[in-house]
Amino acid sequence: MQLPEITKLDDDVIQVKIAMSYPLRWVNSYLIGGAAGWSVVDPGPRNPENELAWEQVLQQLDIPWSTLESVVLTHHHPDHSGLSGWFQERTGVPVWISEIAWSEFVRSWGTGNTAATDLVTLFSKHGMPDEITDQLPEHLDSFVAQVTPPPLPSFIMPGQPVIMGGRSWQTIETSGHAAGHVSLYDPQHQVMLCGDAVLPQISPNISLVPGSDPQPLASYLDGLSKLGTYEVEHALPGHRRPFGGFRERTVKLLEHHEERLHAMLQRLEEQPRTGYDICTSIFSSKLTLHQLRFAMSETLAHLVELERTGRAIATERDGLLYYEPIQHQA
Ligand SMILES: [Zn+2]
Ligand SMILES: [Zn+2]
């Protein structure tokens, strides 16, 4: 097995590329610290290859397991949080996560959770055919192994900093990509660990998820405006490469979503459409089930935003929801 790519961004911040599935291909984990101890931000999805990868990475960097102090999670998604329980089992370190992100973790993968059936009900109501929704429970179940064992969490309190490697990091909670997502900001070095809240090149997925934030796109846009006020020299994202121009990127993402809302509204002007209809007309038709799930959740997040801002309305016909634009008097 190949050693994961390791990049020393400065003396006490190290980027480690942990493998994950297509199309993202890797998640960025960050080791923050120094001689006094190390924290791992977003250790990656759990599987035997990634466990071995971490063994090799720590050995290569000459970081003994005993010097690990904490695991810090930006959000609950398996590609970020998955190995946290495994790290905790090995070392006993605390796993820091926001309280909201933890409740999302439990709602998604906790015992007796109804995440799969709730998603099937939601997608069916928005017109997704049965032959696709039928595959969702098994698909969602396949992620459980990536987040097992779950960690015993310690909560990042709103507004309270997190200490990593002797440096104090401000915590900035924003939602939309994932409820309770926390970005970590070091004002002295103007470094922002932004998780999946802001990504270079790709637009972070915004999902309407049953039982979670009912207006994820509005929350996401609010979060972007908030993050855009920070002075950031180095943005360290959860995927792709560290980048500059953080504020400009937040503006680009705001514009992207406004354009997408507009594109959807134009399709609704042709005729009333279900969410699934809009989804397949906006996104490529050649999506894997995983990609289609994200595309559908993203479409619904936008349709809900059109409704919330008085630009469209949903009406039920034969058990399905159809959206149409609201015509405003000139
Ligand atoms: Zn994510
Ligand atoms: Zn991610």
Side-chain angles (χ1 to χ4, degrees), residues 99-159:
E99 206 163 351
I100 294 174
W102 179 248
S103 66
E104 294 287 310
F105 187 104
V106 173
R107 197 179 42 69
S108 308
W109 300 292
T111 12
N113 78 77
T114 57
T117 47
D118 294 347
L119 195 67
V120 169
T121 306
L122 179 75
F123 282 3
S124 300
K125 210 170 157 197
H126 287 280
M128 187 179 267
D130 291 349
E131 60 265 30
I132 302 175
T133 56
D134 284 351
Q135 300 170 48
L136 285 171
E138 195 184 327
H139 167 64
L140 289 177
D141 207 43
S142 71
F143 290 93
V144 174
Q146 291 184 17
V147 294
T148 303
L152 196 69
S154 298
F155 294 131
I156 297 171
M157 290 301 170

Side-chain angles (χ1 to χ4, degrees), residues 161-220:
V162 166
I163 308 295
M164 296 190 288
R167 263 155 87 168
S168 178
W169 298 73
Q170 293 177 12
T171 55
I172 307 151
E173 200 169 307
T174 57
S175 281
H177 171 71
H181 184 292
V182 168
S183 298
L184 300 144
Y185 178 64
D186 169 4
Q188 202 193 335
H189 302 84
Q190 299 189 341
V191 176
M192 180 76 85
L193 287 156
C194 46
D196 287 355
V198 181
L199 295 173
Q201 293 132 6
I202 43 176
S203 169
N205 175 250
I206 311 305
S207 280
L208 181 72
V209 177
S212 184
D213 185 349
Q215 47 180 63
L217 184 56
S219 303
Y220 183 67

Side-chain angles (χ1 to χ4, degrees), residues 1 4 14 16 18 29-31 40-45 48-61 65 68 83 86-87:
M1 192 190 117
I14 300 169
V16 182
I18 296 293
S29 293
Y30 296 95
L31 280 161
V40 185
V41 177
D42 291 349
E49 294 76 35
N50 286 345
E51 289 173 21
L52 188 62
W54 273 112
E55 301 277 2
Q56 294 177 340
V57 165
L58 294 184
Q59 195 172 23
Q60 170 88 9
L61 290 167
W65 284 86
L68 294 183
L83 278 160
W86 178 77
F87 266 91

